[in-house]
């Protein structure tokens, strides 16, 4: 049976943190001789990482693999303090593309630890973001993956009046609420961030998917297997009662027959999945009655480029002006090439870069 209708979640795909990180790495590729190094995957999306690999970016999981003096980017998921220090140690130009919302959780961990709290951190073992956050306050913080973990961690709490519950930014809201309520029953004075640590992009994508999942016969979530917010989306669709939930990296992974006789198919994408993959998946679904966008909320968040790039680029413009006999002060004052960064689309930036490099 052909698919009749696609319900397309809005918002979906790239969030402000991913936009910032991809554009920042694209600038690194433009400015420096290859190879540019990146500690961990810049974002958890296989195709984005492969696209940067073809542009000469080398991804490493060990900072010692980066030669002294080589340009280095630290990923959007945030890095442990000792990694940031080691990265800057060997005469390298380092750009830290950590999402500001991950930095906020690092700050919470630091402050609560300094006040003597036991910190319970709800996250996924081995995930880059979780590892970076746990390393901020290793003596005070304990990882909680599920409610069973919580029971095992409780005896380690030193002072029941000083317990904080923090979270990975990309959890499913349902998972967070379950653990948060249980922890609060144990510790009525529990400290949490005012609106919890789940980021706007995570909760908006989950809300948009919730709005379509109950109506859809099947849901296709586009994103990689190591993307926490993508996996959270699959859980949201299942929890909403959708009988068939499929995660794919892109159209090549999609077996339309696996959707059974689904007439109405919901489509969404995790925060690191490019829009061109969404469109390619829809083309493969080929809905006979077309695509119905389901809008839940507008997202206009914007994160400016990392500080290191904001300082470097105007300086380079100023130098170029000097070489060309123009006014270097005026060139610097223009703020470098970032004056229109807010309107630049990371997917197009990456596509343009690939086209330029292939010429
Ligand atoms: S998903 Fe949230 S925390 Fe992660 S990069 Fe995007 S905005 Fe930042």
């Amino acid at each position: 049976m052909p698919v009749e209708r696609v319900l397309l979640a809005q918002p979906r795909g790239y969030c402000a943190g991913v936009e910032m990180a991809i554009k920042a790495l694209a600038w690194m590729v433009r400015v420096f001789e290859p190879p540019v190094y990146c500690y961990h995957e810049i974002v958890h999306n296989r195709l984005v990482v492969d696209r940067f690999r073809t542009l000469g970016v080398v991804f490493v999981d060990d900072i010692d693999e980066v030669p002294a003096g080589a340009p280095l980017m630290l990923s959007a998921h945030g890095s442990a303090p000792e990694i940031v220090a080691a990265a800057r140690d060997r005469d390298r130009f380092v750009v830290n593309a950590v999402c500001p919302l991950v930095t906020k959780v690092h700050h919470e961990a630091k402050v609560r630890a300094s006040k003597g709290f036991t910190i319970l951190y709800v996250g996924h073992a081995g995930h880059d973001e979780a590892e970076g956050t746990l390393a901020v306050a290793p003596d005070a913080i304990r990882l909680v993956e599920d409610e069973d973990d919580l029971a095992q961690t409780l005896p380690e709490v030193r002072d029941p009046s000083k317990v904080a519950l923090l979270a990975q930014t990309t959890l499913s809201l349902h998972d967070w609420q379950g653990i948060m309520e249980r922890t609060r029953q144990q510790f009525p004075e529990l400290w949490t961030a005012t609106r919890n640590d789940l980021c706007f992009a995570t909760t908006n994508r989950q809300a948009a998917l919730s709005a379509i999942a109950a109506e859809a016969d099947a849901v296709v979530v586009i994103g990689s297997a190591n993307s926490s917010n993508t996996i959270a989306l699959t859980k949201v669709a299942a929890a909403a009662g959708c009988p068939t939930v499929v995660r794919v990296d892109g159209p090549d992974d999609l077996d339309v027959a696996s959707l059974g006789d689904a007439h109405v198919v919901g489509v969404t994408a995790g925060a690191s999945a490019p829009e061109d993959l969404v469109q390619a998946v829809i083309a493969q679904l080929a809905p006979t009655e077309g695509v119905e966008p389901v809008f839940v909320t507008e997202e206009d968040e914007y994160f400016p480029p990392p500080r290191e790039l904001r300082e470097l680029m105007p300086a380079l413009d100023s130098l170029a002006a000097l070489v060309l006999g123009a006014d270097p002060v005026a060139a610097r004052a223009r703020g470098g090439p970032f004056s229109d960064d807010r309107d630049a689309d990371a997917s197009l930036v990456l596509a343009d870069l690939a086209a330029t490099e292939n010429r």
Side-chain angles (χ1 to χ4, degrees):
M1 289 287 284
V3 172
E4 288 171 5
R5 216 156 32 107
V6 162
L7 301 177
L8 183 57
Q10 176 69 27
R12 63 179 177 279
Y14 284 178
C15 61
V18 165
E19 285 270 339
M20 175 274 290
I22 289 177
K23 288 190 278 189
L25 187 52
W27 275 114
M28 295 276 279
V29 170
R30 277 206 181 102
V31 169
F32 293 98
E33 285 295 316
V36 167
Y37 286 80
C38 187
Y39 178 70
H40 286 156
E41 294 187 342
I42 180 69
V43 297
H44 280 158
N45 185 272
R46 203 183 73 199
L47 289 124
V48 171
V49 169
D50 285 348
R51 285 171 185 174
F52 273 115
R53 274 204 184 101
T54 62
L55 292 168
V57 176
V58 177
F59 293 92
V60 296
D61 289 325
D62 182 348
I63 214 80
D64 290 338
E65 290 176 39
V66 184
L72 171 63
M73 173 156 280
L74 304 177
S75 84
H77 304 104
S79 306
E82 63 268 25
I83 295 291
V84 178
R88 297 205 160 111
D89 201 30
R90 295 188 62 200
D91 212 12
R92 303 181 182 105
F93 181 72
V94 178
V95 174
N96 192 349
V98 56
C99 175
L101 301 182
V102 176
T103 302
K104 168 183 159 281
V105 182
H106 285 200
H107 181 70
E108 289 165 1
K110 220 178 294 171
V111 170
R112 289 300 123 191
S114 72
K115 291 179 187 272
F117 277 66
T118 300
I119 302 165
L120 307 178
Y121 176 75
V122 191
H124 304 300
H127 188 282
D128 295 343
E129 182 184 329
E131 301 222 315
T133 307
L134 292 169
V136 169
D139 296 334
I141 197 162
R142 299 287 172 272
L143 177 67
V144 175
E145 284 202 86
D146 50 36
E147 294 196 23
D148 291 342
D149 274 358
L150 185 61
Q152 288 177 14
T153 314
L154 296 182
E156 295 183 41
V157 170
R158 295 178 299 250
D159 177 351
S161 71
K162 284 190 165 185
V163 179
L165 194 69
L166 270 51
Q168 194 168 330
T169 54
T170 47
L171 292 187
S172 100
L173 188 57
H174 179 264
D175 287 354
W176 159 257
Q177 276 171 338
I179 291 183
M180 195 271 286
E181 278 159 21
R182 223 166 118 225
T183 314
R184 199 175 284 290
Q185 282 165 10
Q186 289 279 339
F187 306 108
E189 295 174 60
L190 181 71
W191 186 93
T192 60
T194 311
R195 290 184 56 196
N196 73 49
D197 292 320
L198 275 58
C199 77
F200 70 93
T202 293
T203 48
N204 287 349
R205 277 151 193 69
Q206 291 178 15
L209 180 56
S210 298
I212 60 176
E215 270 190 67
D217 304 314
V219 160
V220 178
V221 178
I222 301 158
S224 289
N226 61 350
S227 160
S228 166
N229 78 88
T230 299
I231 301 306
L233 287 171
T234 63
K235 289 185 182 177
V236 165
C242 184
T244 305
V245 182
V246 175
R247 182 203 60 78
V248 294
D249 268 292
D252 296 347
D253 299 346
L254 179 62
D255 174 11
V256 179
S258 72
L259 305 180
D261 58 358
H263 300 291
V264 179
V265 177
V267 173
T268 188
S272 47
E275 179 64 13
D276 57 294
L277 297 178
V278 176
Q279 296 307 322
V281 163
I282 292 172
Q284 198 165 336
L285 292 169
T288 55
E289 294 176 15
V291 177
E292 184 184 323
V294 178
F295 175 86
V296 166
T297 186
E298 186 74 42
E299 254 178 29
D300 58 2
E301 281 78 4
Y302 164 72
F303 297 148
R307 178 182 52 79
E308 300 89 343
L309 277 178
R310 290 201 311 270
E311 288 170 0
L312 174 75
M313 300 306 285
L316 288 181
D317 265 14
S318 174
L319 190 62
L322 198 62
V323 171
L324 296 170
D327 179 355
V329 177
R332 191 180 188 109
R334 279 196 295 273
F338 296 130
S339 47
D340 56 358
D341 185 72
R342 178 186 279 270
D343 298 325
D345 177 316
S347 292
L348 297 178
V349 167
L350 189 48
D352 285 352
L353 185 59
T356 311
E357 299 283 318
N358 287 334
R359 248 177 238 148

